[in-house]
Short mmCIF file of all heavy atoms in Angstrom, two decimals:
data_model
loop_
_atom_site.label_atom_id
_atom_site.label_comp_id
_atom_site.label_asym_id
_atom_site.label_seq_id
_atom_site.Cartn_x
_atom_site.Cartn_y
_atom_site.Cartn_z
N ALA A 177 -2.08 -8.59 3.28
CA ALA A 177 -1.38 -8.92 4.51
C ALA A 177 -0.24 -7.93 4.76
O ALA A 177 -0.03 -7.47 5.90
CB ALA A 177 -0.85 -10.34 4.45
N ALA A 178 0.49 -7.58 3.70
CA ALA A 178 1.57 -6.59 3.83
C ALA A 178 1.00 -5.23 4.22
O ALA A 178 1.58 -4.50 5.03
CB ALA A 178 2.35 -6.49 2.52
N LEU A 179 -0.13 -4.89 3.64
CA LEU A 179 -0.80 -3.63 3.96
C LEU A 179 -1.14 -3.56 5.44
O LEU A 179 -0.89 -2.56 6.12
CB LEU A 179 -2.06 -3.52 3.12
CG LEU A 179 -2.76 -2.16 3.01
CD1 LEU A 179 -1.86 -1.16 2.31
CD2 LEU A 179 -4.07 -2.31 2.26
N LYS A 180 -1.68 -4.64 5.96
CA LYS A 180 -2.05 -4.71 7.38
C LYS A 180 -0.82 -4.58 8.27
O LYS A 180 -0.84 -3.90 9.30
CB LYS A 180 -2.78 -6.02 7.64
CG LYS A 180 -3.31 -6.17 9.06
CD LYS A 180 -4.08 -7.48 9.20
CE LYS A 180 -4.63 -7.63 10.61
NZ LYS A 180 -5.38 -8.93 10.75
N GLU A 181 0.27 -5.23 7.86
CA GLU A 181 1.50 -5.18 8.64
C GLU A 181 2.09 -3.77 8.68
O GLU A 181 2.49 -3.28 9.74
CB GLU A 181 2.52 -6.16 8.05
CG GLU A 181 3.85 -6.19 8.79
CD GLU A 181 4.85 -7.15 8.16
OE1 GLU A 181 4.44 -7.90 7.25
OE2 GLU A 181 6.03 -7.13 8.55
N HIS A 182 2.15 -3.11 7.53
CA HIS A 182 2.68 -1.74 7.49
C HIS A 182 1.80 -0.79 8.31
O HIS A 182 2.31 0.11 8.98
CB HIS A 182 2.80 -1.26 6.05
CG HIS A 182 3.78 -2.04 5.23
ND1 HIS A 182 5.02 -2.42 5.72
CD2 HIS A 182 3.73 -2.52 3.96
CE1 HIS A 182 5.68 -3.08 4.78
NE2 HIS A 182 4.91 -3.16 3.71
N LYS A 183 0.49 -0.97 8.22
CA LYS A 183 -0.42 -0.11 8.99
C LYS A 183 -0.18 -0.28 10.49
O LYS A 183 -0.14 0.70 11.24
CB LYS A 183 -1.87 -0.47 8.64
CG LYS A 183 -2.89 0.38 9.36
CD LYS A 183 -4.33 -0.08 9.04
CE LYS A 183 -4.71 0.22 7.64
NZ LYS A 183 -6.14 -0.07 7.37
N ALA A 184 -0.01 -1.53 10.93
CA ALA A 184 0.24 -1.77 12.36
C ALA A 184 1.56 -1.15 12.79
O ALA A 184 1.66 -0.59 13.89
CB ALA A 184 0.26 -3.29 12.62
N THR A 185 2.58 -1.21 11.93
CA THR A 185 3.88 -0.62 12.26
C THR A 185 3.75 0.89 12.42
O THR A 185 4.28 1.48 13.37
CB THR A 185 4.90 -0.94 11.17
OG1 THR A 185 5.07 -2.36 11.07
CG2 THR A 185 6.26 -0.31 11.48
N VAL A 186 3.06 1.54 11.48
CA VAL A 186 2.88 2.99 11.57
C VAL A 186 2.19 3.37 12.88
O VAL A 186 2.64 4.25 13.62
CB VAL A 186 2.07 3.51 10.36
CG1 VAL A 186 1.73 4.98 10.56
CG2 VAL A 186 2.85 3.33 9.08
N ARG A 187 1.11 2.69 13.18
CA ARG A 187 0.35 3.02 14.38
C ARG A 187 1.15 2.80 15.65
O ARG A 187 1.08 3.59 16.60
CB ARG A 187 -0.95 2.18 14.40
CG ARG A 187 -1.96 2.64 13.36
CD ARG A 187 -3.20 1.77 13.36
NE ARG A 187 -4.25 2.33 12.52
CZ ARG A 187 -5.36 1.71 12.21
NH1 ARG A 187 -5.59 0.49 12.67
NH2 ARG A 187 -6.27 2.30 11.44
N THR A 188 1.94 1.74 15.68
CA THR A 188 2.77 1.47 16.85
C THR A 188 3.82 2.56 17.04
O THR A 188 4.00 3.07 18.16
CB THR A 188 3.46 0.10 16.70
OG1 THR A 188 2.47 -0.92 16.63
CG2 THR A 188 4.37 -0.18 17.89
N LYS A 189 4.51 2.94 15.96
CA LYS A 189 5.54 3.97 16.06
C LYS A 189 4.94 5.31 16.50
O LYS A 189 5.51 6.01 17.35
CB LYS A 189 6.24 4.15 14.71
CG LYS A 189 6.96 2.91 14.19
CD LYS A 189 8.14 2.55 15.04
CE LYS A 189 8.88 1.35 14.45
NZ LYS A 189 10.01 0.91 15.31
N LEU A 190 3.79 5.66 15.94
CA LEU A 190 3.17 6.94 16.31
C LEU A 190 2.69 6.93 17.75
O LEU A 190 2.78 7.94 18.46
CB LEU A 190 2.02 7.24 15.36
CG LEU A 190 2.41 7.49 13.90
CD1 LEU A 190 1.18 7.84 13.06
CD2 LEU A 190 3.45 8.60 13.78
N ALA A 191 2.17 5.80 18.21
CA ALA A 191 1.72 5.70 19.60
C ALA A 191 2.91 5.84 20.55
O ALA A 191 2.83 6.52 21.59
CB ALA A 191 1.01 4.37 19.84
N GLU A 192 4.04 5.22 20.21
CA GLU A 192 5.24 5.35 21.05
C GLU A 192 5.72 6.81 21.09
O GLU A 192 6.14 7.30 22.13
CB GLU A 192 6.34 4.44 20.51
CG GLU A 192 6.04 2.95 20.70
CD GLU A 192 7.09 2.07 20.04
OE1 GLU A 192 8.04 2.63 19.44
OE2 GLU A 192 6.97 0.84 20.12
N ALA A 193 5.66 7.48 19.93
CA ALA A 193 6.08 8.88 19.89
C ALA A 193 5.17 9.74 20.77
O ALA A 193 5.65 10.62 21.50
CB ALA A 193 6.07 9.38 18.46
N ARG A 194 3.87 9.50 20.71
CA ARG A 194 2.93 10.28 21.54
C ARG A 194 3.21 10.06 23.03
O ARG A 194 3.13 11.01 23.83
CB ARG A 194 1.50 9.92 21.19
CG ARG A 194 1.00 10.48 19.87
CD ARG A 194 -0.49 10.34 19.73
NE ARG A 194 -0.91 8.94 19.68
CZ ARG A 194 -1.03 8.24 18.56
NH1 ARG A 194 -0.77 8.81 17.39
NH2 ARG A 194 -1.42 6.97 18.59
N GLN A 195 3.50 8.83 23.40
CA GLN A 195 3.79 8.55 24.81
C GLN A 195 5.03 9.29 25.28
O GLN A 195 5.08 9.81 26.41
CB GLN A 195 3.96 7.04 25.01
CG GLN A 195 2.66 6.25 24.85
CD GLN A 195 2.89 4.76 24.87
OE1 GLN A 195 4.03 4.29 24.95
NE2 GLN A 195 1.82 3.98 24.81
N LEU A 196 6.05 9.34 24.43
CA LEU A 196 7.26 10.07 24.81
C LEU A 196 7.01 11.57 24.90
O LEU A 196 7.47 12.24 25.84
CB LEU A 196 8.36 9.79 23.78
CG LEU A 196 9.07 8.45 23.89
CD1 LEU A 196 9.98 8.23 22.69
CD2 LEU A 196 9.88 8.38 25.18
N LEU A 197 6.27 12.12 23.96
CA LEU A 197 5.98 13.56 23.98
C LEU A 197 5.16 13.94 25.20
O LEU A 197 5.26 15.07 25.70
CB LEU A 197 5.25 13.96 22.70
CG LEU A 197 6.10 13.96 21.41
CD1 LEU A 197 5.23 14.19 20.20
CD2 LEU A 197 7.19 15.02 21.50
N ALA A 198 4.35 13.01 25.68
CA ALA A 198 3.52 13.30 26.87
C ALA A 198 4.36 13.50 28.11
O ALA A 198 3.89 14.07 29.10
CB ALA A 198 2.52 12.17 27.08
N ARG A 199 5.63 13.05 28.09
CA ARG A 199 6.51 13.25 29.24
C ARG A 199 7.04 14.67 29.34
O ARG A 199 7.55 15.08 30.37
CB ARG A 199 7.69 12.28 29.16
CG ARG A 199 7.33 10.81 29.20
CD ARG A 199 8.60 9.97 29.21
NE ARG A 199 8.32 8.55 29.18
CZ ARG A 199 9.26 7.60 29.28
NH1 ARG A 199 10.53 7.96 29.37
NH2 ARG A 199 8.92 6.32 29.23
N LEU A 200 6.97 15.40 28.23
CA LEU A 200 7.52 16.76 28.21
C LEU A 200 6.55 17.73 28.88
O LEU A 200 5.33 17.58 28.81
CB LEU A 200 7.79 17.20 26.78
CG LEU A 200 8.80 16.36 25.97
CD1 LEU A 200 8.90 16.91 24.55
CD2 LEU A 200 10.16 16.35 26.65
N SER A 201 7.13 18.77 29.47
CA SER A 201 6.30 19.86 30.00
C SER A 201 5.76 20.68 28.84
O SER A 201 6.27 20.58 27.71
CB SER A 201 7.15 20.74 30.91
OG SER A 201 8.13 21.45 30.13
N PRO A 202 4.73 21.48 29.06
CA PRO A 202 4.22 22.33 27.96
C PRO A 202 5.30 23.18 27.30
O PRO A 202 5.32 23.33 26.08
CB PRO A 202 3.16 23.18 28.65
CG PRO A 202 2.67 22.33 29.78
CD PRO A 202 3.89 21.60 30.27
N ALA A 203 6.20 23.73 28.13
CA ALA A 203 7.27 24.58 27.56
C ALA A 203 8.22 23.74 26.71
O ALA A 203 8.65 24.16 25.63
CB ALA A 203 8.04 25.28 28.68
N GLU A 204 8.55 22.52 27.19
CA GLU A 204 9.43 21.65 26.43
C GLU A 204 8.77 21.18 25.13
O GLU A 204 9.44 21.08 24.10
CB GLU A 204 9.83 20.45 27.29
CG GLU A 204 10.76 20.80 28.45
CD GLU A 204 10.91 19.65 29.43
OE1 GLU A 204 10.05 18.73 29.43
OE2 GLU A 204 11.88 19.69 30.22
N ARG A 205 7.49 20.92 25.21
CA ARG A 205 6.77 20.49 24.00
C ARG A 205 6.74 21.64 22.97
O ARG A 205 6.93 21.41 21.77
CB ARG A 205 5.35 20.07 24.36
CG ARG A 205 4.51 19.63 23.17
CD ARG A 205 5.12 18.43 22.45
NE ARG A 205 4.40 18.12 21.22
CZ ARG A 205 3.36 17.29 21.15
NH1 ARG A 205 2.91 16.69 22.24
NH2 ARG A 205 2.79 17.04 20.00
N ALA A 206 6.50 22.84 23.44
CA ALA A 206 6.49 23.99 22.54
C ALA A 206 7.86 24.19 21.90
O ALA A 206 7.97 24.50 20.71
CB ALA A 206 6.06 25.25 23.28
N SER A 207 8.91 23.98 22.70
CA SER A 207 10.27 24.11 22.17
C SER A 207 10.54 23.05 21.13
O SER A 207 11.17 23.32 20.09
CB SER A 207 11.29 23.98 23.31
OG SER A 207 12.60 23.99 22.81
N TYR A 208 10.03 21.84 21.36
CA TYR A 208 10.22 20.77 20.38
C TYR A 208 9.50 21.11 19.08
O TYR A 208 10.05 20.97 17.99
CB TYR A 208 9.70 19.45 20.93
CG TYR A 208 9.66 18.35 19.88
CD1 TYR A 208 10.82 17.70 19.50
CD2 TYR A 208 8.47 17.99 19.26
CE1 TYR A 208 10.81 16.72 18.52
CE2 TYR A 208 8.45 17.01 18.28
CZ TYR A 208 9.61 16.37 17.91
OH TYR A 208 9.60 15.42 16.95
N ASP A 209 8.24 21.59 19.18
CA ASP A 209 7.48 21.90 17.98
C ASP A 209 8.10 23.04 17.18
O ASP A 209 7.95 23.13 15.96
CB ASP A 209 6.04 22.27 18.36
CG ASP A 209 5.25 21.06 18.82
OD1 ASP A 209 5.64 19.93 18.46
OD2 ASP A 209 4.25 21.23 19.55
N ALA A 210 8.81 23.93 17.88
CA ALA A 210 9.40 25.08 17.19
C ALA A 210 10.82 24.84 16.72
O ALA A 210 11.44 25.72 16.13
CB ALA A 210 9.38 26.29 18.13
N SER A 211 11.33 23.64 16.98
CA SER A 211 12.73 23.35 16.66
C SER A 211 12.93 23.01 15.20
O SER A 211 11.99 22.84 14.43
CB SER A 211 13.23 22.19 17.53
OG SER A 211 12.56 21.00 17.18
N GLU A 212 14.17 22.87 14.80
CA GLU A 212 14.59 22.41 13.47
C GLU A 212 14.18 23.35 12.35
O GLU A 212 13.89 22.95 11.23
CB GLU A 212 14.08 20.99 13.19
CG GLU A 212 14.62 19.98 14.18
CD GLU A 212 14.24 18.58 13.83
OE1 GLU A 212 13.87 18.33 12.68
OE2 GLU A 212 14.28 17.72 14.71
N GLY A 213 14.13 24.64 12.65
CA GLY A 213 14.00 25.67 11.62
C GLY A 213 12.91 25.47 10.61
O GLY A 213 13.16 25.31 9.43
N GLY A 214 11.68 25.51 11.01
CA GLY A 214 10.57 25.40 10.07
C GLY A 214 9.59 24.33 10.43
O GLY A 214 8.55 24.21 9.82
N ARG A 215 9.89 23.54 11.47
CA ARG A 215 8.93 22.54 11.90
C ARG A 215 7.87 23.13 12.82
O ARG A 215 6.88 22.49 13.12
CB ARG A 215 9.66 21.41 12.64
CG ARG A 215 10.27 20.41 11.69
CD ARG A 215 10.69 19.18 12.43
NE ARG A 215 10.64 18.00 11.59
CZ ARG A 215 10.94 16.80 12.00
NH1 ARG A 215 11.33 16.60 13.23
NH2 ARG A 215 10.85 15.77 11.19
N GLY A 216 8.10 24.33 13.30
CA GLY A 216 7.12 24.93 14.19
C GLY A 216 5.99 25.58 13.44
O GLY A 216 5.89 25.53 12.23
N GLY A 217 5.12 26.25 14.20
CA GLY A 217 3.93 26.81 13.59
C GLY A 217 4.15 28.09 12.82
O GLY A 217 3.26 28.55 12.12
N ALA A 218 5.33 28.70 12.92
CA ALA A 218 5.54 30.00 12.31
C ALA A 218 5.40 29.95 10.79
O ALA A 218 5.01 30.92 10.18
CB ALA A 218 6.93 30.53 12.68
N HIS A 219 5.70 28.79 10.20
CA HIS A 219 5.66 28.70 8.74
C HIS A 219 4.45 27.91 8.26
O HIS A 219 4.39 27.55 7.10
CB HIS A 219 6.93 28.05 8.22
CG HIS A 219 8.15 28.88 8.44
ND1 HIS A 219 8.51 29.92 7.63
CD2 HIS A 219 9.09 28.83 9.41
CE1 HIS A 219 9.63 30.48 8.07
NE2 HIS A 219 10.00 29.84 9.15
N ALA A 220 3.50 27.62 9.14
CA ALA A 220 2.36 26.82 8.73
C ALA A 220 1.21 27.66 8.21
O ALA A 220 0.24 27.14 7.69
CB ALA A 220 1.88 25.98 9.92
N ASP A 221 1.30 28.99 8.34
CA ASP A 221 0.21 29.86 7.92
C ASP A 221 0.11 29.89 6.39
O ASP A 221 1.10 29.99 5.69
CB ASP A 221 0.51 31.28 8.43
CG ASP A 221 -0.70 32.19 8.29
OD1 ASP A 221 -1.61 31.85 7.50
OD2 ASP A 221 -0.72 33.23 8.96
N ARG A 222 -1.12 29.81 5.87
CA ARG A 222 -1.32 29.83 4.42
C ARG A 222 -0.96 31.17 3.81
O ARG A 222 -0.84 31.28 2.59
CB ARG A 222 -2.77 29.48 4.09
CG ARG A 222 -3.15 28.07 4.50
CD ARG A 222 -4.52 27.73 4.03
NE ARG A 222 -4.97 26.49 4.61
CZ ARG A 222 -6.12 25.90 4.32
NH1 ARG A 222 -6.94 26.45 3.45
NH2 ARG A 222 -6.47 24.77 4.89
N SER A 223 -0.81 32.19 4.64
CA SER A 223 -0.45 33.50 4.11
C SER A 223 1.06 33.70 4.01
O SER A 223 1.53 34.80 3.81
CB SER A 223 -1.04 34.60 5.00
OG SER A 223 -0.50 34.53 6.31
N ALA A 224 1.82 32.61 4.19
CA ALA A 224 3.28 32.72 4.12
C ALA A 224 3.69 33.31 2.77
O ALA A 224 3.12 32.98 1.74
CB ALA A 224 3.92 31.34 4.28
N PRO A 225 4.67 34.22 2.78
CA PRO A 225 5.06 34.89 1.53
C PRO A 225 5.67 33.91 0.54
O PRO A 225 6.40 33.00 0.91
CB PRO A 225 6.09 35.92 1.98
CG PRO A 225 6.63 35.38 3.26
CD PRO A 225 5.48 34.67 3.91
N ARG A 226 5.40 34.11 -0.75
CA ARG A 226 5.95 33.25 -1.78
C ARG A 226 7.34 33.72 -2.17
O ARG A 226 7.65 34.91 -2.14
CB ARG A 226 5.04 33.24 -3.01
CG ARG A 226 3.63 32.79 -2.69
CD ARG A 226 2.84 32.50 -3.93
NE ARG A 226 1.49 32.07 -3.60
CZ ARG A 226 0.71 31.37 -4.40
NH1 ARG A 226 1.14 31.04 -5.61
NH2 ARG A 226 -0.49 31.02 -4.05
N GLY A 227 8.16 32.75 -2.56
CA GLY A 227 9.51 33.08 -2.99
C GLY A 227 9.50 33.84 -4.30
O GLY A 227 8.53 33.82 -5.06
N SER A 228 10.61 34.50 -4.57
CA SER A 228 10.70 35.31 -5.79
C SER A 228 11.13 34.48 -6.99
O SER A 228 11.04 34.94 -8.12
CB SER A 228 11.71 36.45 -5.58
OG SER A 228 12.99 35.91 -5.23
N ALA A 229 11.63 33.25 -6.76
CA ALA A 229 12.10 32.42 -7.87
C ALA A 229 10.94 32.01 -8.76
O ALA A 229 9.84 31.73 -8.28
CB ALA A 229 12.84 31.20 -7.34
N GLN A 230 11.18 31.95 -10.05
CA GLN A 230 10.14 31.61 -11.01
C GLN A 230 10.25 30.14 -11.41
O GLN A 230 11.34 29.60 -11.60
CB GLN A 230 10.28 32.48 -12.27
CG GLN A 230 10.05 33.96 -12.01
CD GLN A 230 8.63 34.24 -11.54
OE1 GLN A 230 7.67 33.73 -12.10
NE2 GLN A 230 8.51 35.06 -10.52
N ALA A 231 9.10 29.49 -11.53
CA ALA A 231 9.07 28.10 -11.98
C ALA A 231 9.45 28.04 -13.46
O ALA A 231 9.16 28.97 -14.23
CB ALA A 231 7.70 27.52 -11.77
N PRO A 232 10.08 26.96 -13.90
CA PRO A 232 10.55 26.89 -15.29
C PRO A 232 9.45 26.68 -16.32
O PRO A 232 9.68 26.90 -17.51
CB PRO A 232 11.51 25.69 -15.26
CG PRO A 232 11.04 24.85 -14.12
CD PRO A 232 10.52 25.81 -13.10
N ASN A 233 8.27 26.25 -15.90
CA ASN A 233 7.20 26.01 -16.85
C ASN A 233 5.86 26.11 -16.13
O ASN A 233 5.79 26.20 -14.89
CB ASN A 233 7.34 24.67 -17.56
CG ASN A 233 7.45 23.51 -16.58
OD1 ASN A 233 6.50 23.21 -15.85
ND2 ASN A 233 8.61 22.87 -16.54
N ALA A 234 4.77 26.06 -16.92
CA ALA A 234 3.44 26.28 -16.36
C ALA A 234 3.02 25.17 -15.39
O ALA A 234 2.37 25.44 -14.37
CB ALA A 234 2.42 26.38 -17.51
N ARG A 235 3.37 23.93 -15.70
CA ARG A 235 2.97 22.84 -14.82
C ARG A 235 3.66 22.94 -13.45
O ARG A 235 3.03 22.74 -12.41
CB ARG A 235 3.29 21.48 -15.47
CG ARG A 235 2.20 21.03 -16.42
CD ARG A 235 2.46 19.62 -16.92
NE ARG A 235 1.30 19.09 -17.60
CZ ARG A 235 1.29 17.94 -18.25
NH1 ARG A 235 2.40 17.19 -18.30
NH2 ARG A 235 0.19 17.51 -18.84
N ALA A 236 4.96 23.23 -13.47
CA ALA A 236 5.69 23.40 -12.22
C ALA A 236 5.11 24.56 -11.42
O ALA A 236 4.94 24.48 -10.19
CB ALA A 236 7.17 23.61 -12.49
N ALA A 237 4.76 25.65 -12.11
CA ALA A 237 4.16 26.82 -11.43
C ALA A 237 2.82 26.46 -10.80
O ALA A 237 2.50 26.89 -9.69
CB ALA A 237 4.00 27.97 -12.42
N GLU A 238 2.02 25.66 -11.52
CA GLU A 238 0.72 25.25 -10.98
C GLU A 238 0.89 24.37 -9.76
O GLU A 238 0.14 24.48 -8.78
CB GLU A 238 -0.06 24.52 -12.08
CG GLU A 238 -1.45 24.08 -11.65
CD GLU A 238 -2.38 25.23 -11.34
OE1 GLU A 238 -2.18 26.32 -11.89
OE2 GLU A 238 -3.30 25.03 -10.52
N ALA A 239 1.87 23.47 -9.79
CA ALA A 239 2.13 22.60 -8.64
C ALA A 239 2.56 23.41 -7.42
O ALA A 239 2.10 23.16 -6.30
CB ALA A 239 3.19 21.56 -8.99
N VAL A 240 3.42 24.38 -7.64
CA VAL A 240 3.86 25.26 -6.54
C VAL A 240 2.68 26.05 -5.99
O VAL A 240 2.51 26.17 -4.76
CB VAL A 240 4.99 26.20 -7.01
CG1 VAL A 240 5.27 27.27 -5.96
CG2 VAL A 240 6.26 25.39 -7.31
N ALA A 241 1.84 26.57 -6.86
CA ALA A 241 0.67 27.33 -6.41
C ALA A 241 -0.24 26.45 -5.57
O ALA A 241 -0.77 26.89 -4.53
CB ALA A 241 -0.09 27.88 -7.63
#
Side-chain angles (χ1 to χ4, degrees):
L179 195 64
K180 184 177 181 181
E181 180 181 351
H182 295 318
K183 181 183 291 187
T185 299
V186 172
R187 288 177 171 172
T188 298
K189 299 293 183 183
L190 295 182
E192 291 175 0
R194 285 192 296 268
Q195 291 173 357
L196 283 171
L197 289 172
R199 298 184 183 185
L200 299 178
S201 69
E204 290 168 341
R205 179 61 187 270
S207 176
Y208 171 77
D209 289 338
S211 66
E212 299 186 19
R215 278 192 151 181
H219 294 279
D221 192 342
R222 296 186 190 183
S223 62
R226 302 193 180 202
S228 58
Q230 296 297 314
N233 55 66
R235 276 187 168 173
E238 182 64 26
V240 170

